[in-house]
Amino acid sequence: MATIQIRDIPDEEYEALRAAASAEGKSLQSYMREQAGFLARVARKRSVFERLRAELTERNEPGVTAETVVSDLDDIRGPWPGDEDANHRGR
């Protein structure tokens, strides 16, 4: 595992972090490890969305719309009950 050392944290911010850790019954180190994990997950998700957005822009394709979501769900679900012989509702 990697080690991160953070220097020059203002006293007010340090105290706020220490108090938050204490309120959750955790050590500051444990609390900060948890917060670093959260920040890493957010960064990974942001990176994925940015890559997808860039790819869609590069392909010059529209993004996700309510219509595409409903259409995809209809394709997965199949005909609506009572409409087995008809096309999907709204089509």
Side-chain angles (χ1 to χ4, degrees), residues 6-63:
I6 303 172
R7 297 174 193 250
D8 302 324
I9 296 175
D11 291 338
E12 312 83 50
E13 292 174 12
Y14 172 82
E15 287 303 320
L17 292 168
R18 189 193 59 69
S22 180
E24 292 188 22
K26 299 177 182 175
S27 68
L28 182 56
Q29 180 176 345
S30 174
Y31 180 80
M32 293 305 296
R33 186 181 310 115
E34 195 175 89
Q35 294 303 308
F38 172 78
L39 290 172
R41 288 188 300 277
V42 168
R44 281 193 300 268
K45 289 175 186 176
R46 182 177 293 130
S47 175
V48 168
F49 281 113
E50 287 172 358
R51 283 195 316 263
L52 288 172
R53 185 176 293 118
E55 186 175 326
L56 286 173
T57 300
E58 187 176 295
R59 290 182 183 181
N60 199 25
E61 294 178 5

Side-chain angles (χ1 to χ4, degrees), residues 78-80 83-91:
W80 286 84
D83 290 344
E84 287 82 7
D85 296 326
N87 287 337
H88 297 288
R89 183 176 292 184
R91 291 188 179 180

Side-chain angles (χ1 to χ4, degrees), residues 64-75:
V64 176
T65 64
E67 291 83 19
T68 61
V69 170
V70 171
S71 175
D72 289 346
L73 287 173
D74 282 344
D75 289 342

